[in-house]
Amino acid sequence: VQLQASGGGLVQAGGSLRLSCAASGRAFRRYAVAWFRRAPGLEREFVATISKNGGTTYYADSVKDRFTIFRDNDKSAVYLQMNSLKPEDSAVYLCAAGLSPIPLVGAYADWGQGTQVTVSS
């Protein structure tokens, strides 16, 4: 499945952004989808994941209660609503598809190009 992330930008601390991950190719609804992020000089960090039917979600502790992941299988899209953003949330955000909603990089075979999120203090 091919993935394309969008929706990033520059926002002040405390603000909100909604990222989108649009999919094409094989049946999107068969896949769990996750968001990861990569800050300069650091490894990819798990952010959130959602099961193929949207019934199960997991979040990194650092974003819990601030970020929400949800999907619309009819539109072949997954979204990440980010509220109360902090400067430490600044990173390139990537979406990825895999068979199970597991918070590990290795669980996801298909990756999209990222979208930059910058949070100013």
Side-chain angles (χ1 to χ4, degrees):
V1 61
Q2 291 79 43
L3 303 170
Q4 179 64 52
S6 63
L10 173 64
V11 63
Q12 289 186 332
S16 298
L17 281 175
R18 178 177 292 186
L19 306 184
S20 299
C21 178
S24 61
R26 303 190 299 274
F28 174 73
R29 64 184 67 237
R30 296 179 184 173
Y31 295 92
V33 176
W35 287 95
F36 289 79
R37 63 190 181 187
R38 184 177 59 233
L42 299 178
E43 298 293 325
R44 278 173 292 183
E45 175 190 19
F46 168 75
V47 176
T49 187
I50 188 167
S51 60
K52 57 186 178 182
N53 65 0
T56 300
T57 57
Y58 295 110
Y59 296 90
D61 288 343
S62 59
V63 307
K64 202 172 294 183
D65 299 327
R66 298 188 299 122
F67 291 10
T68 302
I69 188 171
F70 58 101
R71 67 191 294 163
D72 185 338
N73 283 343
D74 290 336
K75 295 183 178 179
S76 295
V78 170
Y79 307 93
L80 185 69
Q81 177 66 42
M82 306 187 296
N83 298 329
S84 303
L85 282 161
K86 305 174 181 179
E88 51 264 43
D89 293 319
S90 297
V92 173
Y93 283 70
L94 308 106
C95 57
L99 296 180
S100 299
I102 298 172
L104 296 173
V105 169
Y108 300 89
D110 298 321
W111 292 78
Q113 293 184 338
T115 185
Q116 176 71 48
V117 172
T118 304
V119 184
S120 62
S121 57

